[in-house]
Amino acid sequence: MIQVVYPKDGHETHEAATFLLGSVVPGTSLRINGQAIDVHARGYFASPISLSPGENRVKLESDSGEQRVLTVLRHPPKAPLSPEALGVDVDTMMPSQFTVQAPGHWLQVACLATPGARLSVTIPGVLDTGIPLKPHPQDRPYVDNRQGIFGELHQDREMIPAEGYYEGSILIPYDAPARENMPLHLEMHHPNGDSLIQEFPGRLSIRKTPQCAVITGTGMATLRTGPSASASRLTPQLPGTWLVLDGQVGPWCRIRLGRDEVAWIAEADIDLQENTPQRQTTWIPRMTVRQVRTRQSAPRRTEVQIPLREKIPLNIRNTTNSLTLSLYGAESHCDVIAYDPKDTLIEGITWHQVGESRVDLHITCPHLAGYNYAWNGDGLILTLKAVPEKASEAVILIDPGHGGEETGTHGPDGLPEKTLNLAVSQILISALKDAGFSHIRPTRTSDATVSLDQRIAQATAIDADLVLSLHHNALPDGRNPLEHRGVSTYYYHAFARPLARKLLAELVRNQPALNYGLFHDSLAMTRIHTATAVLIELGFFTHPDDYARVIDPANQQAAAQTLAHALKGFVENR
């Protein structure tokens, strides 16, 4: 029987290729579209398939005469508009959403229109003389709108041709009047003399006075580098934090952190403060940082106490042995830094005034392994932690990826990733106990649905020192499954990189597995900042040889023993 696990019949993609993954009875020969492919001794197969725009029929035939036919739809790229007549693709016009800007700020505009035409943008009553748009460089046939995966780029959106794509940045005049809900007009002129005016889908408001807002809810709010859920994350902010807003794109509000620093937050996470008299100025009043104190709160735990009367935005950056805390809307009057004589975790603290409204505290902490932060009635409390020096004292959270309704990927014989993740985690927990670890908690012990938020909350609740999230890898469309195999590890915080590197090196050294690589990646389980968190991909379900390796019980035992030994060495030999 021919079993095709991926793709399903009717699969749709924007990529120029996909791959078939499945299995047959061992010893069976298989042809795809008339060409013989290699089949693993266990009957597993994987094969790349090129796709033409539109509907593609893929035929599989075995030597026993069995046949399977799949249909895969490749969404064709957008075609350039005809150069003969004026026109614009409204779906590509930007801004496409309601936008708020302040005078002196830049507005990004773009669209796909008639190649060779002259395009300009006007804002009636603000910019009555058109601002010209420039053609996109045509060194490549398409505008690059791909997403990054595994250090490469993946096409998951409609491709837009570079021919006829226009773009530009418009400076809102410094003397622009405050107005609400204004149209933007695209003016087009053809070389033959024809002209056309098209209104942009998004409307524009110009506001001269920034708004104040406060973060609502009970959990932390995510800041991003741009007005999109795909933009990079910044340090989460605590509820009750005051913000200054000076722009908006759709459901995303722009935060003015400093004169040259901005971030973005979802409108749903904030509450506008319309009638606060003391806040009708451009900036929230600056907080004065007068002193910093340290206090050893527990073994291998030290608090940095910063008295502040209000919650202001912050950003935290770290290296393998230091942490920098930026406070926005702050001014340093810091003459005193008081160290707890019992503390051996922090080597030193320095401060630096960055511009008019940002104070940076640089904390040297050679054994940094996690941090947390909270506000109390007196100000900000930043807690730094180090991993205990004995395995028996370390608290470890083991996270079998996926579970329940979330299956993860599937192997060529249909095995869901969640099942193997759980099996390996149980073997690992046993190996950790044998290695001397006494405090081990799994995020799940059965085929249960556990959300990412619940997993992260568990790490905080048990005050985990180490977090290991176990997974098995897969590929998106556009990749050759036979070219991707091996073990990889992922980290987000710099202090977790040494552990990620050590685990990868040990796994490769002690197994017949290739080194797929060490990755910095913003994954939910690697972003945990209260512990040293690493995510491990033990092999690829999409490579027949790799899959045969990871489902081998002897390999699973070896991997678990290797991880337990490496963790013990990381804890006790630092």
Side-chain angles (χ1 to χ4, degrees), residues 133-440:
L133 301 184
K134 294 184 178 181
H136 185 82
Q138 296 187 33
D139 52 340
R140 295 182 179 180
Y142 296 99
V143 176
D144 192 349
N145 61 353
R146 297 171 292 175
Q147 297 293 319
I149 299 178
F150 302 142
E152 300 179 33
L153 295 175
H154 175 63
Q155 186 71 45
D156 63 353
R157 294 181 289 171
E158 190 171 33
M159 298 173 68
I160 300 174
E163 182 183 2
Y165 191 75
Y166 297 81
E167 55 196 352
S169 299
I170 296 176
L171 179 66
I172 305 298
Y174 288 94
D175 60 354
R179 293 192 178 178
E180 293 290 325
N181 208 31
M182 294 180 295
L184 288 85
H185 291 162
L186 177 69
E187 298 184 357
M188 296 176 279
H189 300 276
H190 198 279
N192 65 12
D194 292 344
S195 60
L196 178 69
I197 295 178
Q198 175 68 49
E199 190 171 299
F200 281 82
R203 292 253 170 167
L204 173 68
S205 290
I206 297 177
R207 297 175 184 166
K208 293 189 173 184
T209 302
Q211 296 176 287
C212 288
V214 67
I215 294 176
T216 58
T218 57
M220 292 189 180
T222 300
L223 298 191
R224 295 188 182 271
T225 56
S228 166
S230 64
S232 296
R233 293 171 179 258
L234 298 171
T235 301
Q237 304 296 304
L238 293 159
T241 299
W242 284 95
L243 306 172
V244 173
L245 311 180
D246 70 349
Q248 185 170 347
V249 174
W252 295 91
C253 296
R254 185 171 59 194
I255 303 167
R256 177 59 58 176
L257 295 174
R259 189 171 299 278
D260 298 313
E261 292 184 80
V262 299
W264 295 80
I265 190 170
E267 186 177 18
D269 289 337
I270 60 173
D271 182 23
L272 292 178
Q273 306 294 297
E274 299 286 357
N275 301 312
T276 310
Q278 70 269 28
R279 299 187 184 281
Q280 298 302 313
T281 57
T282 303
W283 300 102
I284 288 176
R286 280 182 285 185
M287 299 296 101
T288 300
V289 180
R290 297 192 182 278
Q291 65 174 338
V292 175
R293 302 184 66 89
T294 73
R295 183 181 78 88
Q296 185 183 50
S297 56
R300 313 292 285 178
R301 304 287 191 275
T302 297
E303 291 181 353
V304 179
Q305 303 171 342
I306 308 166
L308 293 168
R309 74 175 187 273
E310 291 194 31
K311 299 177 183 179
I312 54 178
L314 57 85
N315 189 33
I316 296 175
R317 305 174 301 283
N318 63 82
T319 68
T320 55
N321 59 7
S322 68
L323 180 146
T324 299
L325 167 68
S326 294
L327 297 170
Y328 294 95
E331 181 179 277
S332 178
H333 290 203
C334 190
D335 294 325
V336 176
I337 299 177
Y339 296 95
D340 185 340
K342 298 187 296 295
D343 172 50
T344 59
L345 186 57
I346 293 176
E347 283 196 351
I349 301 175
T350 59
W351 64 265
H352 181 59
Q353 184 76 43
V354 182
E356 295 181 357
S357 58
R358 171 180 146 194
V359 174
D360 280 4
L361 294 177
H362 183 76
I363 305 168
T364 303
C365 182
H367 299 290
L368 181 66
Y371 64 87
N372 207 354
Y373 49 100
W375 293 88
N376 64 13
D378 296 323
L380 178 66
I381 305 297
L382 173 68
T383 303
L384 308 184
K385 63 190 295 186
V387 174
E389 297 175 343
K390 296 180 180 179
S392 60
E393 298 175 356
V395 178
I396 302 180
L397 184 72
I398 300 297
D399 173 48
H402 308 292
E405 297 176 355
E406 178 57 52
T407 62
T409 189
H410 289 81
D413 57 359
L415 177 71
E417 180 197 350
K418 64 177 183 177
T419 301
L420 191 57
N421 293 344
L422 182 59
V424 174
S425 74
Q426 291 170 337
I427 299 171
L428 175 58
I429 289 173
S430 178
L432 287 168
K433 291 178 179 178
D434 292 342
F437 289 94
S438 304
H439 308 287
I440 310 164

Side-chain angles (χ1 to χ4, degrees), residues 477-544:
D477 291 330
R479 309 291 169 80
N480 184 342
L482 303 179
E483 295 177 352
H484 296 262
R485 62 187 297 190
V487 180
S488 51
T489 57
Y490 301 76
Y491 73 96
Y492 182 73
H493 297 286
F495 55 76
R497 185 176 185 272
L499 178 59
R501 183 173 52 193
K502 180 179 181 64
L503 295 179
L504 178 63
E506 293 298 319
L507 284 169
V508 172
R509 181 179 298 115
N510 293 291
Q511 288 191 99
L514 296 180
N515 185 336
Y516 190 69
L518 173 67
F519 295 86
H520 173 278
D521 203 346
S522 179
L523 304 169
M525 294 305 292
T526 60
R527 287 196 304 271
I528 295 173
H529 56 263
T530 56
T532 298
V534 174
L535 185 143
I536 306 168
E537 298 278 7
L538 290 165
F540 277 85
F541 268 36
T542 47
H543 192 290

